[in-house]
Amino acid sequence: MTGGTKAAWHALSAKQALHNSDSSTAGLKPAQVAARQKKYGANVLPHKKPVAGGLILLRQFGSPLIIILLAAVLISLALGESVDAAVIFAAVLVNTVIGFVQEYKANRALEKLRSYLQPFVSVRRDGREKRILAEKLVPGDLVLLRTGDKVVADLRLLEAVDLEISEAALTGESLPVSKQTEKISADTVLAERANLAYAGTHIVAGTGLGVVLAIGSDTELGQIAELVQSAEDAPTPLQAELKRLAKWLSAAVVLIVLVILALGLSRGFDLLEMFETSVALAVAAVPEGLIVTITIILAIGAQKIFKRKALVRRIVASETLGSVSVICSDKTGTITEGEMRVGEIVPLSGPIAAGEVSHVQIAPETMMLLEASILCNDATVTGGKKLEKVEVVGSPTEKALMEAGLQAGIEYRALLKRHARLDAVPFDSSRKYMATLNQWPAGPYLLVKGAPEYVIDFSDSYLQADQAKSLSKDKRRELKQLAVSMANRGLRVLGVAYRPEPQGRKKIADQAPNDLVFLGFMGLSDPLRPEAREQIRRTQEAGVRTIIITGDHPSTALAIAKEAGLAANRQTMAMGAQVDRWSDRELKAKVKTLNLFARAEPKHKIRIIKAWQAHGQVVAMTGDGVNDAPALKAADIGVALGSGTEVAKEASDLVLLDNNLGTITAAIEEGRVMFDNIRKTAVYLMTDSFTEIVLIGGALLLGLPLPLLATQILWINLIADSLPAIALAMEPGEPDIMRIKPRPRREPVLNQEMLTYIFGVGLITDLVLFALYAWYLAQTGDPIEVRSVMFAAVGIDSLLYVFAFKSFRRSIFRTNPFSNLWLLGAVGVGFGLMLFALLHPFMQLVFEIVPLSLSDWLVLLMIGVVKLMVIEGTKEWFIHRRGLGTGN
C-alpha cells in the first residue's frame, strides 16, 4: 500500500490492484481498519490551523504608509493638535478595518474546500455493507458507488455497470466519463484514466465498486488543497506601488525634518517654532488625504462593479482589474455553458443546426432520428405540458438528446404511449452502445444509439429520402469520415440506427446487433456562451489577451477556441503532458506563442500563470470548479463564476453574479477608471504638498520669515483640499479608457509624466509664487500680511488647478466641466472654507492672518490662472508625444 495514487494503479488489473491494496472481495477486517487508521489518519483534506483574528488585525499595521501616518498621529498629539490627530487616525482606522475583514474572509477558502467531502459513504467491510463517516475511510476499503453519490476518496474500480462519473469540477471535462475496470497504459493522463474514480467527483449514472487507493491529502483533490495552501497572495500592483511610495515618503519626511530644522536653527529661529514647522511640513509631505481617497475610490469602484453584476471580494484588488493584460480562462462553464446540448442533427439528407428544427418542417428521416434518440434514452421528463416548465432528469448526454426532441416539438408522453418500451440493453463502455425494443404499428423496432464507428459497422443500409438504401463500402467510409470531421469540430458524436423485428418479439437478443438501418448522427457539445465571443473581441481591443486552459480533449478545446474567436491551431496549442516536460524557463519562452492548453491539470494552470507573470503581465484567471481554486488564488485577479463551486468563489477576488463574461470587460473598465482617479488624486495632493515645501524651504534657505505656519498648512491639506481630492474619486471614465493598452505591471502611479506635473511644472510655478512672496515681503515688511497672501494663494489656487487634473489625456477645454458635479460642489465648499478662514475674525485670530485687499485677490487669481495654463501646456505636449492628438 502506498496510500496515494502516484503509483500506476490504472496500469494494474482489478485483481492485481485489490491484491496490492492488501484487501479482499469481502473488504477489510476490523483489525486491518484500526491499523490503517493509525497509519494513514483521517480522510480529511490538508488543513492549516486558521490564523487568529488578532494576528490578522496586527498585520494591517505593517504597511509603511500606515506607520508614517501613525507617527504623524503621535506627533500631532504631542503638539496638542488633537483634531489633526483624529483626522489622520480615522484614515488609519478605515484602512485597517477593511484590510482585516477582507483577509479574514479570504482565509476561509480552505475551510470550504474541506467541507467538499460528503459525511457518509457505503463500504463493504468483513463481508457486510455498512454506512460510515467519510473521514473513517482507509486505503484498502471497498466503496460501493451508486447514482447520485459523491466519490470521497481516490478509487481503483473493481466493478462498473453503466457507470458514468462527472469529473468537470476536477479536470474541467464537460462530459461525464464512462468508467470501466480493464487496465490501461501507465502513461495515460489523469483525465483519461477510465478505471479510476477521484474524490470530489460524483456519479451521474450506473453503479460500481472500488478499492480505496488514497485518502485526504494523498488524493488528487487533496493535492489541489495543498496547492491552494501553498499559493501565496502576492501583493497587487497597487499595493506594491503604495509600498514603494511609502518608503520614498518615509525617507523624504526624515530628510525634510532634519534639513528644515537645521536651516531654521542656523537662521536663529525659535527651536519650538521650528520643530512645529518642520513637523507640519513633514506631515504635509505625506498626503494624508491620499490613503483615505484611495480607499474611497476602491470602495466606489467596487460598488460600480457590483451594479454591473460582479462582486469584489478583495477591495484592494479591484484596481488591479484595470491593469489586467492576460486572461487565463477555463473553458467549461466559463467560455461555454457548462451543459451538454445537441448542436447538430445529421440525417443522411444533410446536417441541420438543432435550433433550426421545428415540428412543422421535419423531414421523415429527421423525425425518425429524433424519435429514436428520445426512445432509446433513459432520461425522464417531469413537469407541465409547456416546454419552459418541463424538467429533464438524466445523464448529460441523454438529457441533451431528450431536450433536442422536445424543442423540436415532439410530444414526449404521446410518443412513449405510441411506442412503448418492451426491453432495453443499457449503455456499457465495453459495448459502446445502448439498445431498446419499442412497439411500432408494424411490429417491434430495435433502436440503437452509441459510438458512431460501432453503429455504422452494425448497419447494412441507411435511410435517405424516407427509403432504406444499401450501405456500400464507400458509403460506410464516407459516414465514418463524417463522424471524424464532426468530432474534430469539438462535437461528441452518436450514431443512431434501427431494425424492424418480427411480430411478437419481446426481448433483445444477447448478441451484438446487425443488419441495422443507419439513421444518422447526433452531434452534442457544451455550447459557447452567447457573450463569450464578443467579450473576447472587446478585451482584444483593450489590449488584453485571452488564453484558454482546459482539461478537455484537444479537438474539443480547439473547436471552442476557434468558435470563440481566438487565433487557435495546432501550433498555438499545447497539451498538459508537454507542459510537464518543459522547464519553467522553457515554458516562459513558449507561453507567448500559445493561446490554448488542453488536457491541463491544476498544477499546469499555476505554472502557466507564473510564466505570464514572469513576463511582467498582470494575469486574471477565470474558473468555476474545484480544480480552478489554486490558480484563482495564484493569479493577480481570480474570477469565479456565480454558478461555480464555493471553493472557487472563496479563492477568488471577483465573483461574476450573472455568469456573463462581458462582466469581466466591464470590471476591467471600472478598474482602469479607478487607477486613473487614484493617479489624478495623487498628483493633485502631492502638487499641493510640493508647493508648501518649496515655499518654506526657500524661505529658510534665504533666511526669510516663514511664508506659512503649521496650522495653515494643516488647514489647507486636511480641510480645504480634502473634498476636491475625494470628489476626483467620483470622476467618470474617459471615452477612450478601453482603447488604450493595459499599463505595464511595474508602471508606478507617479510615472515620469506625473512627476513632471508635480516637480517640473510645480517648480516653475512655485518659484513664481515664491518670487511673489519675496516681493510682497520687500514691499510691506509685514510677515503676517505676507503669510495671509500666501495662505490664500496656496489654498485657493489649488482649488482652481484641480480642474486640470480631470484628465491627463485631454485638455481642460475638451472636457465637460459638468461631468462631475461632485467636483464642482467640492470646489465650492473648499472656497467657502478658505473664505471662512480668511474673513471670519475668530479664524483670522487662530491662523494669525489679516484681511486681504482687492488687489491681493486679483494677484491670487492671476497666479492660479498662470499655474492652470502651465499645466495645460505641459499636458498638450504629453498628448502629442504619446501620439494621441488633440482631438482625443
Side-chain angles (χ1 to χ4, degrees):
M1 283 298 297
T2 65
T5 52
K6 292 300 180 184
W9 290 94
H10 52 282
L12 302 177
S13 68
K15 186 176 180 180
Q16 288 174 313
L18 187 63
H19 177 268
N20 288 5
S21 300
D22 196 18
S23 187
S24 69
T25 55
L28 298 175
K29 295 183 181 298
Q32 290 177 298
V33 172
R36 296 184 189 195
Q37 284 177 339
K38 184 177 181 180
K39 179 178 180 180
Y40 297 109
N43 179 30
V44 294
L45 291 176
H47 176 50
K48 186 185 292 182
K49 187 177 179 181
V51 180
L55 183 58
I56 294 175
L57 184 62
L58 287 175
R59 285 177 181 173
Q60 310 311 312
F61 294 94
S63 165
L65 195 54
I66 292 291
I67 292 171
I68 291 174
L69 292 182
L70 287 174
V73 170
L74 295 175
I75 293 171
S76 297
L77 287 173
L79 296 175
E81 303 292 344
S82 56
V83 174
D84 300 336
V87 172
I88 299 171
F89 185 72
V92 174
L93 191 62
V94 167
N95 287 273
T96 300
V97 170
I98 291 173
F100 169 78
V101 171
Q102 295 301 324
E103 187 174 343
Y104 182 80
K105 287 173 63 179
N107 276 277
R108 293 171 54 214
L110 284 177
E111 296 303 311
K112 288 289 184 181
L113 190 56
R114 291 178 69 235
S115 69
Y116 198 77
L117 294 176
Q118 68 180 26
F120 289 94
V121 61
S122 296
V123 298
R124 185 188 297 163
R125 284 180 176 174
D126 204 15
R128 292 182 300 172
E129 179 180 340
K130 58 175 66 178
R131 295 277 288 173
I132 65 170
L133 285 170
E135 66 181 26
K136 300 294 186 183
L137 271 181
V138 296
D141 260 326
L142 297 188
V143 176
L144 289 86
L145 303 173
R146 298 181 177 94
T147 301
D149 286 350
K150 284 184 179 176
V151 183
V152 296
D154 287 356
L155 312 173
R156 172 59 164 92
L157 295 172
L158 307 177
E159 298 175 9
V161 180
D162 307 327
L163 186 62
E164 292 189 9
I165 299 180
S166 173
E167 297 180 347
L170 183 67
T171 67
E173 175 64 68
S174 55
L175 297 171
V177 179
S178 296
K179 294 295 184 176
Q180 49 95 6
T181 60
E182 298 302 316
K183 66 180 181 180
I184 54 179
S185 172
D187 59 1
T188 304
V189 297
L190 182 145
E192 295 176 357
R193 295 172 189 171
N195 56 15
L196 298 184
Y198 298 104
T201 62
H202 68 275
I203 314 298
V204 297
T207 60
L209 176 71
V211 59
V212 175
L213 306 177
I215 60 173
S217 59
D218 288 325
T219 65
E220 294 294 337
L221 181 63
Q223 291 167 38
I224 292 175
E226 289 188 336
L227 286 173
V228 172
Q229 202 166 274
S230 64
E232 298 180 359
D233 287 321
T236 68
L238 178 61
Q239 286 175 313
E241 168 59 16
L242 290 179
K243 188 174 182 179
R244 287 193 296 268
L245 179 62
K247 288 180 177 179
W248 181 80
L249 287 173
S250 300
V253 165
V254 173
L255 184 64
I256 287 169
V257 170
L258 294 177
V259 171
I260 297 298
L261 192 59
L263 281 173
L265 293 176
S266 67
R267 299 296 182 183
F269 288 99
D270 179 71
L271 174 62
L272 180 60
E273 180 185 5
M274 284 314 305
F275 181 73
E276 289 182 354
T277 301
S278 60
V279 168
L281 193 58
V283 172
V286 179
E288 296 88 355
L290 180 59
I291 194 165
V292 177
T293 306
I294 288 174
T295 303
I296 292 171
I297 290 171
L298 295 177
I300 291 172
Q303 285 300 312
K304 288 182 178 179
I305 290 173
F306 182 73
K307 289 179 181 179
R308 300 179 83 163
K309 304 299 183 183
L311 176 65
V312 176
R313 294 191 63 255
R314 292 178 62 214
I315 192 169
V316 74
S318 51
E319 173 276 334
T320 309
L321 284 160
S323 59
V324 166
S325 53
V326 175
I327 298 175
C328 292
S329 177
D330 185 34
K331 181 191 75 67
T332 305
T334 308
I335 300 293
T336 64
E337 294 278 7
E339 291 186 3
M340 294 302 298
R341 306 272 177 81
V342 173
E344 290 186 17
I345 301 167
V346 188
L348 300 190
S349 57
I352 307 168
E356 298 174 359
V357 177
S358 72
H359 63 283
V360 297
Q361 62 185 43
I362 298 180
E365 60 265 34
T366 307
M367 176 63 80
M368 184 64 184
L369 177 58
L370 284 168
E371 289 184 346
S373 299
I374 290 177
L375 293 168
C376 187
N377 192 322
D378 284 334
T380 58
V381 178
T382 59
K385 293 184 178 180
K386 292 185 177 180
L387 184 60
E388 60 271 15
K389 294 184 178 181
V390 165
E391 182 180 0
V392 180
V393 179
S395 72
T397 298
E398 300 208 319
K399 182 180 175 182
L401 293 172
M402 186 69 73
E403 288 175 341
L406 295 176
Q407 289 167 0
I410 295 175
E411 295 184 5
Y412 168 72
R413 293 179 180 85
L415 182 67
L416 289 186
K417 191 174 182 179
R418 290 198 310 271
H419 305 297
R421 181 182 291 190
L422 304 174
D423 193 18
V425 174
F427 179 84
D428 182 83
S429 57
S430 60
R431 284 194 301 268
K432 301 292 186 183
Y433 70 89
M434 173 184 179
T436 62
L437 190 65
N438 294 76
Q439 188 62 55
W440 237 261
Y445 271 30
L446 178 69
L447 305 177
V448 177
K449 80 170 192 298
E453 63 274 19
Y454 280 73
V455 179
I456 292 170
D457 286 341
F458 295 154
S459 303
D460 65 357
S461 60
Y462 64 96
L463 190 68
Q464 190 172 37
D466 204 24
Q467 291 184 352
K469 299 181 178 180
S470 177
L471 187 59
S472 66
K473 189 175 181 179
D474 289 342
K475 186 65 175 179
R476 193 182 302 273
R477 186 185 305 111
E478 178 188 325
L479 291 176
K480 289 184 177 181
Q481 288 174 347
L482 177 57
V484 171
S485 69
M486 291 176 68
N488 287 340
R489 296 201 305 276
L491 297 171
R492 182 181 189 183
V493 186
L494 295 175
V496 184
Y498 77 99
R499 183 182 70 197
E501 297 289 298
Q503 282 282 7
R505 175 158 289 178
K506 302 293 184 180
K507 292 287 184 180
I508 298 174
D510 189 18
Q511 61 185 37
N514 53 37
D515 301 331
L516 300 181
V517 181
F518 190 75
L519 290 171
F521 303 104
M522 300 292 283
L524 296 88
S525 67
D526 181 7
L528 194 73
R529 286 183 176 272
E531 72 280 357
R533 187 178 182 90
E534 173 64 13
Q535 186 268 336
I536 289 173
R537 184 193 65 79
R538 288 195 63 202
T539 55
Q540 288 173 339
E541 286 183 353
V544 180
R545 185 168 173 179
T546 300
I547 310 296
I548 295 178
I549 309 175
T550 177
D552 263 346
H553 189 279
S555 295
T556 304
L558 194 58
I560 285 294
K562 289 179 178 178
E563 188 180 354
L566 292 182
N569 52 49
R570 294 287 176 179
Q571 285 69 46
T572 61
M573 178 177 70
M575 302 287 287
Q578 291 176 278
V579 176
D580 280 331
R581 291 194 296 269
W582 294 335
S583 66
D584 289 344
R585 180 179 294 181
E586 289 173 318
L587 179 58
K588 179 185 175 183
K590 295 175 184 291
V591 74
K592 282 191 171 184
T593 66
L594 301 171
N595 293 329
L596 177 63
F597 294 84
R599 288 299 189 218
E601 298 175 25
K603 60 183 180 181
H604 301 139
K605 295 180 181 182
I606 293 179
R607 287 190 64 206
I608 293 164
I609 288 170
K610 289 183 175 178
W612 276 109
Q613 289 171 333
H615 283 289
Q617 303 299 316
V618 177
V619 182
M621 169 72 195
T622 70
D624 63 348
V626 175
N627 63 318
D628 297 320
L632 289 172
K633 197 170 182 183
D636 296 288
I637 289 288
V639 183
L641 296 188
S643 61
T645 62
E646 285 301 311
V647 176
K649 293 175 188 175
E650 290 291 341
S652 68
D653 303 296
L654 185 76
V655 179
L656 304 184
L657 301 178
D658 59 357
N659 287 358
N660 187 332
L661 288 187
T663 306
I664 296 179
T665 308
I668 289 174
E669 181 178 353
E670 290 296 342
R672 292 186 176 189
V673 173
M674 282 184 245
F675 181 79
D676 268 7
N677 289 347
I678 288 172
R679 176 170 274 175
K680 293 168 187 176
T681 302
V683 172
Y684 171 64
L685 290 174
M686 294 196 71
T687 298
D688 202 26
S689 296
F690 185 64
T691 297
E692 296 157 359
I693 293 170
V694 169
L695 285 176
I696 293 181
L700 292 173
L701 188 65
L702 298 178
L704 301 176
L706 293 176
L708 291 171
L709 299 178
T711 52
Q712 295 169 349
I713 292 172
L714 291 171
W715 177 267
I716 293 170
N717 278 27
L718 297 177
I719 306 300
D721 291 348
S722 61
L723 290 178
I726 292 171
L728 281 175
M730 314 288 186
E731 193 67 28
E734 299 183 42
D736 64 347
I737 195 75
M738 290 299 284
R739 294 197 299 271
I740 57 178
K741 292 182 179 180
R743 73 180 190 277
R745 184 184 190 90
R746 300 189 181 279
E747 180 180 322
V749 173
L750 301 178
N751 62 5
Q752 182 181 4
E753 181 179 345
M754 302 306 117
L755 293 174
T756 301
Y757 290 120
I758 296 170
F759 300 116
V761 174
L763 186 61
I764 295 170
T765 56
D766 294 341
L767 286 177
V768 172
L769 185 61
F770 183 79
L772 179 66
Y773 156 71
W775 180 81
Y776 258 97
L777 190 62
Q779 292 295 314
T780 65
D782 184 357
I784 294 179
E785 182 179 345
V786 176
R787 285 193 191 112
S788 302
V789 174
M790 290 298 101
F791 177 53
V794 176
I796 291 177
D797 290 353
S798 65
L799 296 173
L800 292 175
Y801 66 69
V802 68
F803 291 99
F805 296 140
K806 279 172 62 68
S807 173
F808 292 117
R809 294 189 292 275
R810 280 171 185 75
S811 164
I812 191 174
F813 305 111
R814 297 184 180 88
T815 58
N816 179 3
F818 302 104
S819 63
N820 186 355
L821 296 179
W822 290 98
L823 182 59
L824 292 176
V827 168
V829 173
F831 268 111
L833 290 170
M834 285 302 301
L835 291 175
F836 174 65
L838 288 164
L839 301 178
H840 195 280
F842 175 75
M843 299 302 288
Q844 290 174 351
L845 185 63
V846 169
F847 290 113
E848 301 179 40
I849 55 177
V850 296
L852 303 182
S853 66
L854 179 61
S855 60
D856 293 333
W857 285 105
L858 290 175
V859 170
L860 295 179
L861 180 63
M862 180 190 70
I863 291 294
V865 171
V866 167
K867 187 158 189 174
L868 182 64
M869 291 300 100
V870 174
I871 292 173
E872 285 302 308
T874 305
K875 189 192 299 182
E876 287 289 342
W877 182 80
F878 275 113
I879 289 173
H880 284 286
R881 184 185 179 193
R882 287 194 299 265
L884 297 179
T886 56
N888 288 337

